Amino acid sequence: PQAGGLAATVAVTVPIDVMATGHGFGTGTGGSNMSAAQTQRLSCNAPIVALYLDANGQISCSSSPGRLYSRPQRLALAVRDQGCVWAGCDRPPSHCEAHHLTPWSHGGKTTLENGVLLCYFHHHLLHQDTGWQLRRATDHIIELIPPTRIDPHQTPRRHARYTQLRPRAA
């Protein structure tokens, strides 16, 4: 697909507690195991359709996705964020993926307030549990919190496009 377009569909059977905790494994349609972390990374930007199984392992019903950002929401994110929100990144909206600040698997809603745009690299860096964090400040600007190994004080960083230019002293 085009950059920032729809992701491929991957079918993985994963117990709900594995998705929520990030510990354990899922099973692909070919029978291969996939770590919970891999499953969470894939599910962040790909459709999930829950298939409910009965006692015999047969599909009894399914859910509707409702987790991915719609085209109008993606357009609103593009207008608001103007590209990847990671401090210093210059990727435009067309090269970005929508990310839930509070993960959908932890009850995060698919709303504009809970969504931001991240380029592929920064989106996956954030999901690799490297210590980087994103948060929305009280003025609604996204702040990037570095891990303590990079900044012991974890001073929040903002993208330059969100900071107002201040006049310099003459």
Side-chain angles (χ1 to χ4, degrees), residues 55-141:
N56 298 319
Q58 300 299 312
I59 298 171
S60 59
C61 64
S62 66
S63 69
S64 60
R67 185 182 56 81
L68 297 179
Y69 283 87
S70 67
R71 283 189 181 276
Q73 286 175 313
R74 290 283 311 241
L75 179 58
L77 289 171
V79 170
R80 185 193 68 200
D81 295 347
Q82 302 171 30
C84 181
V85 299
W86 199 278
C89 187
D90 64 354
R91 293 290 173 212
S94 61
H95 292 194
C96 292
E97 302 170 345
H99 171 75
H100 290 81
L101 290 172
T102 299
W104 183 82
S105 60
H106 294 148
K109 303 216 180 301
T110 307
T111 62
L112 295 179
E113 186 64 23
N114 192 40
V116 295
L117 291 181
L118 290 170
C119 69
Y120 177 87
F121 177 80
H122 290 123
H123 193 189
H124 290 275
L125 180 67
L126 192 65
H127 278 284
Q128 290 172 352
D129 199 25
T130 56
W132 290 95
Q133 300 172 47
L134 286 180
R135 72 177 183 201
R136 189 173 301 284
T138 55
D139 61 357
H140 301 286
I141 302 294

